[in-house]
Amino acid sequence: SQTIHQWPATLVQPVGSPLSLECTVEGTSNPNLYWYRQAAGRGLQLLFYSVGIGQISSEVPQNLSASRPQDRQFILSSKKLLLSDSGFYLCASEGTGVYEQYFGPGTRLTVT
Amino acid sequence: GDSVTQMEGPVTLSEEAFLTINCTYTATGYPSLFWYVQYPGEGLQLLLKATKADDKGSNKGFEATYRKETTSFHLEKGSVQVSDSAVYFCALSDYRGSARQLTFGSGTQLTVLP
C-alpha cells in the first residue's frame, strides 16, 4: 500500500514570504498526484493535479503554483503568501484499484 | 458539473446509538463513490468505497450502498463508539480533464458521547 509523506507538519509564515511544501509518495510508481486545501471547518478544494513528471493542471487561479520534479515528488509553492492562503494543505496519491485517493497527514499553514 | 450533497452537521449521538449520514450526488457518468473520515489534525482516511450500482462498501462496522436510482450513498453504523467521533466526507470519483478527480461533500462532524 501507499504511504504519503508531507512536510513540514506546521508552518507559520508572514504575509509576502515565499512558501514551499513538499509531498513524497512511497509504495507506487507513476501515480496521479493531487494538492488540496481545506479551510477551517470547510470541505476540500482541489488546487492542482499531476499525471506525470513536469505535468501540472491547475484547478483554481491563485498565487500558488505546483511542480513535479520527480515521479513521486510533488511540491506546492508561492512567491508571496497572502492571508487567505492560510489553511490545511493535503497531498493525495491515486490508488491503482478503483481510483480512490490516499492522503498524507497534511501541513497546517498559518499566514500572519 | 459533478456535485455531492451531505447531511448538515454537527451530529451528536450517545454511544451505541445508530448512525446515518445522508449523501446524494449528481454526476453525468458512472462515478465510484467513497466515504472518508478525518480525525482532528489529521489527513483523510478512506473508510469504504463502492464502484457500481447496488455495491455495498463496508469497513469497521460502517456500511454504505450505492443506490443509482436515488443517486445516494448513505453511511450507516449500527452502534457508534466514542472513537468514531470525527468528520466524515462523502466523495465521488469521475474522469475530468486528464485524470480522475474526487468531488467532496462539505463534511459532517460526528460527536459520540459516552
Side-chain angles (χ1 to χ4, degrees):
Chain A
S1 64
Q2 298 185 35
T3 302
I4 296 93
H5 302 280
Q6 286 187 245
W7 63 89
T10 60
L11 191 60
V12 180
Q13 292 283 94
V15 168
S17 63
L19 173 74
S20 181
L21 303 181
E22 188 165 348
C23 169
T24 58
V25 182
E26 293 179 358
T28 188
S29 59
N30 195 30
N32 290 343
L33 297 175
Y34 305 80
W35 277 112
Y36 293 88
R37 177 170 59 202
Q38 185 178 31
R42 297 187 180 181
L44 283 81
Q45 178 188 36
L46 178 63
L47 302 175
F48 301 94
Y49 67 91
S50 171
V51 300
I53 296 173
Q55 300 179 65
I56 307 296
S57 296
S58 174
E59 289 294 299
V60 182
Q62 58 214 329
N63 69 318
L64 299 173
S65 62
S67 62
R68 186 168 176 177
Q70 299 181 40
D71 181 43
R72 289 174 288 176
Q73 183 184 30
F74 203 22
I75 297 172
L76 183 69
S77 304
S78 174
K79 292 182 179 178
K80 289 185 177 182
L81 284 168
L82 306 173
L83 284 174
S84 57
D85 292 325
S86 293
F88 193 47
Y89 288 81
L90 290 158
C91 178
S93 174
E94 187 174 80
T96 56
V98 290
Y99 310 115
E100 69 271 21
Q101 292 180 17
Y102 297 98
F103 286 79
T107 295
R108 175 78 56 192
L109 171 65
T110 303
V111 182
T112 60
Chain B
D2 295 351
S3 66
V4 176
T5 302
Q6 266 184 254
M7 173 178 172
E8 291 285 331
V11 174
T12 302
L13 296 173
S14 297
E15 203 164 24
E16 299 184 1
F18 184 85
L19 169 71
T20 299
I21 300 178
N22 290 338
C23 171
T24 57
Y25 68 90
T26 302
T28 54
Y30 299 92
S32 297
L33 300 175
F34 307 90
W35 277 100
Y36 283 85
V37 58
Q38 184 178 32
Y39 298 100
E42 298 183 7
L44 275 68
Q45 298 177 25
L46 178 64
L47 182 59
L48 53 82
K49 61 191 177 189
T51 59
K52 60 183 186 299
D54 300 324
D55 266 2
K56 178 185 282 188
S58 62
N59 186 25
K60 300 180 181 180
F62 291 90
E63 293 183 340
T65 301
Y66 191 143
R67 300 289 188 198
K68 191 171 183 297
E69 64 276 12
T70 55
T71 61
S72 65
F73 193 54
H74 304 322
L75 182 67
E76 297 182 335
K77 186 175 185 182
S79 177
V80 293
Q81 305 300 311
V82 173
S83 57
D84 294 327
S85 297
V87 180
Y88 292 82
F89 291 94
C90 184
L92 67 82
S93 174
D94 208 352
Y95 210 95
R96 282 176 282 151
S98 56
R100 285 214 167 239
Q101 297 182 27
L102 286 178
T103 299
F104 287 89
S106 56
T108 301
Q109 171 76 56
L110 170 66
T111 301
V112 181
L113 302 175

